[in-house]
Amino acid sequence: MGEALLEVKGLKKHFPIKGGILSKTVNTVKAVDGLNFIVEEGETLGLVGESGCGKSTTGRVLLRLLEATEGEVIFNNQNIFDLGKREMRSLRREMQMIFQDPYASLNPRMTVGDIIGEAMAIHGLAKGKDKERKVRELLEKVGLTAQQMRRYPHEFSGGQRQRIGIARALAVDPKIIICDEPVSALDVSIQAQVINLMEDLQEELGLTYIFIAHDLSVVKHISDRVAVMYLGKMVELADKEELYSNSQHPYTKALLSAIPLADPTANREKIILEGDVPSPINPPSGCSFHPRCPFAKDICSQEEPEFVDRGNGHFVACHLDPEEI
Ligand code: SF4
């Protein structure tokens, strides 16, 4: 195992639902409900699950774009939830985020050069000619041209806008980038180009990524380890090869069986999941996957399985042994 850059302990994010004329809390959405994991320096951790599983909320809580309800996030030997506004601002330089829809996060009235330069100016990293030179270098690093710095976001394609989002994140020299579905809105051919770019940049700059996606095929190429989330909890976490060849959680198996095979004539048992993801307001008792799990036993609705290491950092939360599923 490498050195831990980020350590997450008992992380929860609950949203109160207000109701009635007194606007009292009548219920709670448990979007993130007790996560424990580490992210090693220089690795890519894929974070996967269906929509509503809490993966994007997790990304936002890790950067304190949303305040956590409970838990700790240790970065640079300090719990970031203990930091004041000023300390947090300087820490944000080291922890950046790339969003699914880069267009929504790029100011349409600013040129691309100003968007990228603004991040440097806020953190006092460069000004004047030096800033302009760095912006040019960054644009070229992400596969655009220095001349494009005078253009506006609407003049670029979806893939190019994501490259601008990446350049903006890189402008402040981050250590870790949380990538929230960065290629989900792009055509498949463009997805591969952006992922390749991110891999090249990781190698060149020694970056660490948390790569959030809703399906296992997207993260397969780029991840070193993959974590699968279901209703606010992790259900499986393992090295990439181990997870794709020896998954031990029925939900991961179902997600894997939904990935189209390169050879359409090849035989593979498809696990069809019944029903939709239940509401995180009143999650099912015991193992929250039990109403949809084809292997559920009586114990599954009564006791919550622990998330335990079954060896070599392969964590699984399931009552059954691998031979039983
Ligand atoms: Fe299925 Fe039971 Fe395992 Fe949950 S604990 S995944 S319901 S077998």
Side-chain angles (χ1 to χ4, degrees):
M1 290 258 273
E3 212 164 300
L5 178 66
L6 191 80
E7 188 172 358
V8 176
K9 297 181 185 173
L11 187 67
K12 292 187 182 178
K13 177 62 190 173
H14 294 176
F15 295 96
I17 302 176
K18 307 276 185 194
I21 42 169
L22 297 176
S23 194
K24 281 190 173 163
T25 300
V26 290
N27 231 323
T28 309
V29 178
K30 295 176 177 168
V32 177
D33 203 24
L35 295 184
N36 296 286
F37 62 96
I38 62 160
V39 186
E40 293 169 21
E41 191 150 13
E43 79 162 336
T44 298
L45 175 70
L47 195 56
V48 176
E50 290 164 285
S51 82
C53 73
K55 56 193 190 302
S56 292
T57 305
T58 303
R60 282 171 164 71
V61 171
L62 293 181
L63 287 183
R64 284 186 69 184
L65 299 176
L66 287 171
E67 290 298 333
T69 306
E70 219 178 287
E72 292 179 12
V73 173
I74 314 290
F75 182 77
N76 281 347
N77 298 319
Q78 51 192 349
N79 179 8
I80 67 164
F81 299 152
D82 291 340
L83 301 180
K85 264 197 183 141
R86 253 191 48 212
E87 294 159 300
M88 197 56 218
R89 198 176 320 134
S90 70
L91 187 103
R92 283 237 166 81
R93 188 172 84 73
E94 301 187 72
M95 301 173 83
Q96 285 288 301
M97 191 153 188
I98 304 173
F99 299 90
Q100 176 178 358
D101 179 2
Y103 196 51
S105 69
L106 300 174
N107 186 335
R109 281 184 284 275
M110 284 169 80
T111 64
V112 164
D114 287 342
I115 289 171
I116 299 170
E118 183 187 44
M120 291 180 203
I122 287 173
H123 291 282
L125 297 174
K127 52 185 179 185
K129 288 269 171 250
D130 185 33
K131 189 173 79 178
E132 198 170 311
R133 180 183 55 79
K134 284 190 170 159
V135 170
R136 285 171 195 276
E137 282 172 10
L138 272 170
L139 283 172
E140 283 168 3
K141 211 185 259 298
V142 299
L144 297 169
T145 64
Q147 291 73 29
Q148 288 172 313
M149 68 187 287
R150 313 251 174 259
R151 301 244 181 105
Y152 290 86
H154 74 266
E155 298 176 72
F156 293 87
S157 67
Q160 287 175 321
R161 280 183 209 141
Q162 197 52 283
R163 288 171 191 268
I164 297 166
I166 293 170
R168 180 178 55 182
L170 293 179
V172 293
D173 229 351
K175 282 194 177 144
I176 183 165
I177 304 183
I178 296 173
C179 317
D180 188 10
E181 306 227 28
V183 296
S184 306
L186 305 176
D187 290 346
V188 175
S189 58
I190 310 290
Q191 286 187 359
Q193 290 172 13
V194 172
I195 287 182
N196 286 339
L197 169 70
M198 291 178 65
E199 279 190 315
D200 292 345
L201 292 169
Q202 179 171 43
E203 206 178 300
E204 186 186 335
L205 305 169
L207 296 165
T208 304
Y209 293 143
I210 296 179
F211 195 106
I212 298 169
H214 60 262
D215 89 67
L216 278 164
S217 61
V218 172
V219 296
K220 186 172 185 182
H221 190 61
I222 195 168
S223 301
D224 297 293
R225 292 187 302 145
V226 175
V228 178
M229 280 184 75
Y230 189 77
L231 277 183
K233 297 185 177 176
M234 271 187 193
V235 295
E236 188 158 13
L237 166 67
D239 277 352
K240 173 173 70 177
E241 278 78 25
E242 170 76 1
L243 190 106
Y244 286 82
S245 64
N246 182 31
S247 65
Q248 296 186 12
H249 194 282
Y251 179 58
T252 313
K253 281 186 182 285
L255 290 183
L256 282 171
S257 82
I259 298 177
L261 290 172
D263 174 4
T265 60
N267 244 336
R268 183 178 58 188
E269 203 186 330
K270 199 157 183 182
I271 304 172
I272 309 282
L273 288 180
E274 306 272 328
D276 294 326
V277 182
S279 161
I281 297 174
N282 279 313
S285 60
C287 170
S288 55
F289 186 55
H290 84 259
R292 300 173 81 196
C293 180
F295 307 98
K297 300 235 163 39
D298 287 348
I299 187 178
C300 300
S301 58
Q302 292 151 14
E303 271 179 43
E304 186 180 341
E306 275 184 57
F307 190 55
V308 287
D309 187 351
R310 291 184 172 178
N312 297 321
H314 188 160
F315 288 82
V316 186
C318 179
H319 288 302
L320 301 191
D321 291 331
E323 317 75 73
E324 297 176 274
I325 57 173

